Amino acid sequence: MDSLNSLIDGFGTALTPMNLLWAAVGVLLGTAIGVLPGIGPAMAVALLLPVTYGLDPTGAFIMFAGIYYGAMFGGSTTSILLNTPGESAAVVAAIEGNPMAKAGRGAQALAAAAIGHFAGGMIGTILLVVLAPTVASLAIGIGAPDYFAIMVLAFIAVTSVLGASRIRGIASLLIGLTIGLVGLDQMTGQQRLTFGSLHLADGVDVVIVAVGLFAIGEALWVAAHLRRSSGKPIPVGRPWLGRADLRRTWKPWLRGPVIGFPFGAIPAGGAEIPTFLSYVTEKRLSRHRDQFGKGAIEGVAGPEAAASASAAGTLVSMLTLGLPTTAVAAVMLAAFQQYGIQPGPLLFEREPELVWGLIASLFVGMVLLLALNLPLAPVWAKLLRIPRPYLYAGILFFAAVGAYAVGGESLDLVILLVIGLIGFGMRRYGLPVLPAVIGVILGPAAEQQLRRALQISDGSVSGLVNTPFSVTVYAIVALIVAWPLIARLVRRRRGDRNGTEDARAVSGG
């Protein structure tokens, strides 16, 4: 009841004309910047941090929240229309959203993403209000073995459901893990795969990898095949979801937040793992599995709802524990400290107006995001009317600008091209791109958690399975690995049984 009263007071703060203006400005700026390949919400918040120096803290953080959600949706827009993720959480949207766009259903994919963001954000923010203390206390108890188990689950799940074969999925994952090794060893400080370059000592930024594999690889692949095809503009299609689409999307919209929110709330979480797991879940539960990889709308709706709910969950750890679980949360934590405010258990007591105004503004921002972007879905989809040679030339330009903006180094452009060539080769030989991106994102974190778990157990492998949570996760991993063999045995037994029954029927006849 105290939370509800505080939330009502927060709405009183968030709905003042100036704070409404900052929320709207944040959503618009976030969406506009998120549409640019390579410039995600973290960079958007970082770039706009100096702009807020003259604002009061409440107004500044309300605008930051709008930028966060707007940039996430903007990243999904380019991911769906141009196969160019604006940030890592939008990677999964490209798998089904881009084939939908190529089939003339780009507007429907964008509408499913916008409503998914709205549903996920609303449900996630409600859970933030209700469950923040509980989730925070649970998050403290999750240790290194549990984190490593979760990451192994993500690796196995995504290599099992993507691509023509598991071998190709694993090969793609190994490419990503290798790229993730580039840089300094976090524990020993030794250089790995840097070839003597100081610039590579910091590793390869995941944005450059995602843009290179998706955008550059796709542009090169299209350029290699343009002579064989007419290169005509892709039709936009109807701007709204039909009844059949709604029947297929309402359950993923509700399932996504259930997956996304807990992962956003735990330290070292974020939107990457839950979007991958949401995609896997929707593929397992869908009645239209044959459409996955060709433009299944469930594969857009579920992961986008999970990503938005994860963004709300991210604020749990940051506000209650002072632990940033994503790059955006880290930038916002720096902004808190800039104002002389320290997030933690006492923040709700010391700065109730700011905290509850921020939480209330999340509801307002979700409504503004839906109101602004749902009508704009057909407008964004008209990007596909541009002839493909011009369209992909523009993609290459913005991808290069986004990659250069990450570090301001010309070597980043060379790295972008090299990774783009790797992406082209992966398309040529049928390797799925997503496991490679997952390897880059989660590989270094998985290595760090593995080492921590082994250090705690003095090098004993049993230290990886010494908690009930990790044992449960590994049981799920074993089930996923063994499921094809189990399914094959079940089918063979059914076939043998049916054959025996047929033989009996024939002999009886």
Side-chain angles (χ1 to χ4, degrees):
M1 198 65 187
D2 291 338
S3 297
L4 182 59
N5 293 331
S6 300
L7 182 62
I8 293 172
D9 293 336
F11 274 110
T13 301
L15 293 176
T16 59
M18 284 306 298
N19 286 337
L20 273 176
L21 175 63
W22 296 132
V25 169
V27 168
L28 282 173
L29 285 177
T31 303
I33 293 175
V35 165
L36 299 176
I39 302 180
M43 189 176 296
V45 174
L47 289 173
L48 295 170
L49 189 58
V51 179
T52 64
Y53 285 163
L55 299 180
D56 66 284
T58 303
F61 287 107
I62 285 175
M63 190 170 81
F64 284 153
I67 292 169
Y68 190 5
Y69 281 116
M72 288 185 71
F73 179 76
S76 302
T77 299
T78 51
S79 190
I80 290 168
L81 297 182
L82 308 178
N83 203 26
T84 308
E87 45 112 19
S88 56
V91 167
V92 178
I95 302 173
E96 303 300 333
N98 191 247
M100 286 183 68
K102 290 180 177 178
R105 285 170 50 79
Q108 284 85 350
L110 287 176
I115 298 173
H117 272 283
F118 176 77
M122 283 293 184
I123 295 172
T125 308
I126 291 170
L127 292 173
L128 168 63
V129 173
V130 176
L131 300 177
T134 305
V135 174
S137 62
L138 291 174
I140 296 174
I142 294 179
D146 305 320
Y147 288 135
F148 181 70
I150 291 171
M151 292 171 186
V152 170
L153 173 60
F155 292 149
I156 296 298
V158 77
T159 54
S160 297
V161 300
L162 296 175
S165 70
R166 287 192 175 194
I167 298 298
R168 289 179 178 176
I170 292 172
S172 175
L173 178 66
L174 291 176
I175 291 173
L177 292 174
T178 303
I179 296 173
L181 285 175
V182 175
L184 295 179
D185 187 313
Q186 294 184 6
M187 294 195 174
T188 65
Q190 292 186 343
Q191 294 188 10
R192 302 188 297 191
L193 302 179
T194 60
F195 306 102
S197 171
L198 291 176
H199 180 74
L200 290 176
D202 291 332
V204 182
D205 193 278
V206 67
V207 170
I208 294 177
V209 176
V211 171
L213 289 178
F214 278 92
I216 306 298
E218 178 76 8
L220 294 176
W221 181 254
V222 170
H225 293 79
L226 268 180
R227 292 182 180 179
R228 303 180 190 176
S229 61
S230 60
K232 294 180 180 178
I234 301 168
V236 172
R238 293 183 299 105
W240 306 110
L241 296 177
R243 290 184 179 179
D245 291 329
L246 289 173
R247 279 196 297 268
R248 292 176 59 176
T249 51
W250 72 270
K251 289 182 180 178
W253 284 332
L254 297 178
R255 279 193 291 259
V258 176
I259 298 173
F261 182 82
F263 278 94
I266 62 174
E272 292 84 7
I273 297 177
T275 52
F276 301 142
L277 294 183
S278 175
Y279 179 81
V280 172
T281 301
E282 296 309 326
K283 184 171 183 179
R284 294 286 187 194
L285 298 178
S286 176
R287 297 179 181 177
H288 308 275
R289 291 188 191 179
D290 57 318
Q291 294 184 19
F292 274 76
K294 303 173 184 176
I297 196 168
E298 300 97 324
V300 176
E304 290 301 288
S308 190
S310 175
T314 295
L315 295 177
V316 173
S317 294
M318 192 193 72
L319 294 176
T320 60
L321 301 175
L323 294 176
T325 62
T326 63
V328 179
V331 175
M332 291 182 72
L333 182 62
F336 269 104
Q337 293 171 347
Q338 167 192 307
Y339 286 102
I341 301 169
Q342 181 59 48
L346 299 178
L347 180 65
F348 282 77
E349 296 179 11
R350 293 175 178 173
E351 300 286 345
E353 182 180 352
L354 186 152
V355 173
W356 289 105
L358 174 63
I359 293 173
S361 74
L362 299 179
F363 290 101
V364 177
M366 284 292 102
V367 175
L368 289 173
L369 185 68
L370 187 66
L372 291 172
N373 286 302
L374 195 57
L376 288 175
V379 177
W380 289 120
K382 285 182 180 178
L383 286 172
L384 297 173
R385 290 192 180 277
I386 303 172
R388 283 197 290 173
Y390 303 110
L391 179 63
Y392 283 97
I395 291 174
L396 288 173
F397 172 76
F398 283 112
V401 170
Y404 186 77
V406 169
E409 296 282 345
S410 56
L411 184 60
D412 287 334
L413 298 179
V414 178
I415 297 171
L416 180 72
L417 179 59
V418 171
I419 293 176
L421 291 172
I422 294 173
F424 174 80
M426 293 173 70
R427 284 167 173 79
R428 169 65 180 81
Y429 293 103
L431 272 65
V433 176
L434 184 59
V437 180
I438 294 176
V440 176
I441 294 171
L442 299 183
E447 179 192 13
Q448 187 177 19
Q449 300 298 343
L450 172 63
R451 285 171 143 187
R452 284 179 180 173
L454 292 176
Q455 281 181 337
I456 293 171
S457 62
D458 290 329
S460 174
V461 180
S462 62
L464 300 177
V465 288
N466 59 359
T467 65
F469 185 88
S470 62
V471 171
T472 303
V473 173
Y474 285 126
I476 297 172
V477 169
L479 181 62
I480 293 174
V481 172
W483 180 253
L485 179 61
I486 296 172
R488 195 178 307 160
L489 291 174
V490 170
R491 284 196 298 269
R492 186 178 298 173
R493 286 189 177 182
R494 285 180 179 174
D496 294 342
R497 189 182 303 164
N498 292 337
T500 304
E501 291 176 356
D502 291 343
R504 289 176 181 173
V506 171
S507 60

